[in-house]
């Protein structure tokens, strides 16, 4: 499907403030960026770099006063996501070097604390995809998904003590459970078509059978063979600390307004 995504952020800056932004999607195996627009008001110098996880990041210093960022992109992405029941677990010694960091505990995913729990959740599953599918189903059935109820970053252990959470919370716990089983897992942030209420979204991916698969406990499958698509990735990382759409340095700054839109298009040119 073709999607038109956009994100508008507005700030009131009290003093010159360094920012690092992560708002440019990049083309890859699961999405193609046909066109994009990036506007910063007032106009100022921006330096772009690629971080350790392959994300496109932009560095700038926002001046005092009104400051805004507008990004939009025309993206081709999958209508549905691949499922692979029975896809095998990849032994650690056979994993690519690039995914090894996604096995380790991280700030918000304390995977070293979840081994017994993960084993109980996946006790009757074949190693690999079926284990992650069981974790996703357990998250969906055990926690209420309540979008927008909190901006506080919670670790997997903290999420596990609560009856509900935002998308980021469920992803953190899913990642920690997967890693405790030696399944590489990473956080993803981006857009989702038909998300309600519309906002930026977080989910997780697990490395199984030689590739990454998408899992999202906030969404429901159409049936046993089809998963809802419409995902557009902005960034990958170990957890939410790696995939903030903006980081600012100095006194705390929060958007005065934030607008996110994902619209279905007929084609690249529509």
């Amino acid at each position: 499907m073709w999607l038109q995504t956009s994100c508008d952020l507005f700030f009131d800056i009290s003093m010159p403030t360094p920012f690092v932004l992560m708002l440019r999607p990049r083309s890859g195996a699961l999405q193609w960026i046909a066109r994009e627009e990036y506007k910063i008001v007032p106009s100022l110098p921006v330096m772009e770099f690629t971080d350790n996880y392959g994300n496109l990041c932009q560095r700038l210093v926002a001046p005092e006063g009104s400051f805004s960022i507008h990004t939009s992109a025309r993206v081709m992405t999958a209508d549905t996501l691949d499922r692979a029941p029975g896809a095998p677990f990849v032994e650690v010694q056979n994993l690519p070097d690039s995914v090894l960091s996604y096995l380790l505990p991280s700030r918000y995913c304390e995977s070293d604390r979840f081994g017994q729990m993960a084993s109980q959740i996946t006790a009757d599953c074949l190693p690999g995809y079926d284990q992650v599918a069981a974790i996703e189903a357990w998250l969906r059935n055990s926690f209420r998904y309540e979008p927008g109820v909190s901006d506080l970053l919670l670790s997997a252990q903290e999420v596990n003590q609560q009856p509900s959470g935002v998308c980021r919370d469920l992803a953190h716990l899913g990642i920690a459970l997967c890693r405790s089983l030696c399944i590489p897992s990473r956080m993803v942030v981006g857009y989702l078509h038909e998300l309600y209420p519309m906002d930026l979204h977080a989910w997780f991916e697990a490395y199984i059978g030689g590739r990454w698969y998408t899992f999202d406990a906030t969404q429901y499958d159409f049936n046993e063979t089809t998963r809802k698509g419409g995902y557009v990735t902005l960034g990958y990382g170990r957890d939410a600390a790696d995939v903030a759409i903006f980081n600012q340095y100095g006194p705390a700054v929060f958007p005065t307004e934030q607008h996110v839109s994902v619209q279905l298009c007929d084609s690249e040119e529509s």
Side-chain angles (χ1 to χ4, degrees):
M1 67 173 69
W2 283 99
L3 298 175
Q4 180 73 33
T5 67
S6 68
C7 180
D8 293 276
L9 300 170
F10 299 86
F11 299 88
D12 188 8
I13 306 296
S14 61
M15 58 184 292
T17 301
F19 275 79
V20 175
L21 310 175
M22 190 185 295
L23 284 165
R24 282 193 65 196
R26 65 183 305 168
S27 297
L30 300 178
Q31 63 187 32
W32 171 255
I33 313 305
R35 298 201 303 273
E36 61 177 316
E37 183 180 33
Y38 204 131
K39 291 183 180 178
I40 294 174
V41 179
S43 181
L44 48 85
V46 178
M47 298 292 291
E48 186 163 76
F49 67 96
T50 302
D51 70 9
N52 293 336
Y53 307 100
N55 306 312
L56 295 175
C57 302
Q58 303 80 44
R59 296 182 61 177
L60 56 86
V61 178
E64 183 179 348
S66 297
F67 174 65
S68 65
I69 305 161
H70 166 78
T71 65
S72 64
R74 186 64 58 90
V75 185
M76 183 175 65
T77 189
D79 296 60
T80 59
L81 300 177
D82 293 343
R83 292 181 60 123
F89 170 81
V90 181
E91 294 181 339
V92 172
Q93 60 268 33
N94 297 323
L95 288 169
D97 296 343
S98 60
V99 308
L100 290 176
S101 64
Y102 297 113
L103 286 173
L104 301 175
S106 58
R107 179 177 178 181
Y108 295 108
C109 300
E110 312 98 324
S111 52
D112 52 329
R113 307 294 179 88
F114 285 94
Q116 182 177 356
M117 183 176 172
S119 296
Q120 292 171 348
I121 293 170
T122 63
D124 299 324
C125 300
L126 291 172
Y129 186 96
D130 293 7
Q131 289 178 306
V132 185
I135 289 169
E136 180 191 50
W138 178 83
L139 290 168
R140 186 179 294 121
N141 294 329
S142 301
F143 298 87
R144 294 192 311 274
Y145 168 50
E146 295 186 346
V149 297
S150 174
D151 291 327
L152 183 65
L153 284 172
L154 300 179
S155 73
Q157 282 194 292
E158 292 169 321
V159 174
N160 195 41
Q161 303 302 315
Q162 301 197 138
S164 62
V166 299
C167 55
R168 177 184 60 238
D169 298 333
L170 301 186
H172 278 157
L173 185 49
I175 290 167
L177 289 164
C178 289
R179 290 181 188 167
S180 73
L181 298 171
C182 293
I183 297 174
S185 188
R186 63 187 182 183
M187 171 77 86
V188 192
V189 67
Y191 303 97
L192 175 58
H193 180 236
E194 295 184 332
L195 180 68
Y196 181 82
M198 181 52 65
D199 202 345
L200 291 164
H201 190 51
W203 60 96
F204 73 96
E205 293 183 349
Y207 190 85
I208 310 152
R211 54 160 289 187
W212 293 100
Y213 287 91
T214 295
F215 295 89
D216 186 352
T218 74
Q219 304 298 306
Y220 289 85
D221 296 339
F222 293 151
N223 54 54
E224 292 184 355
T225 60
T226 304
R227 299 180 62 90
K228 180 181 181 296
Y231 290 82
V232 177
T233 296
L234 285 172
Y236 301 101
R238 295 165 299 178
D239 56 32
D242 295 329
V243 293
I245 61 167
F246 72 87
N247 281 305
Q248 52 81 211
Y249 301 87
V253 174
F254 302 98
T256 57
E257 295 181 56
Q258 177 174 314
H259 306 293
V260 177
S261 174
V262 181
Q263 300 292 329
L264 184 66
C265 306
D266 294 333
S267 69
E268 176 186 352
E269 301 300 329
S270 62

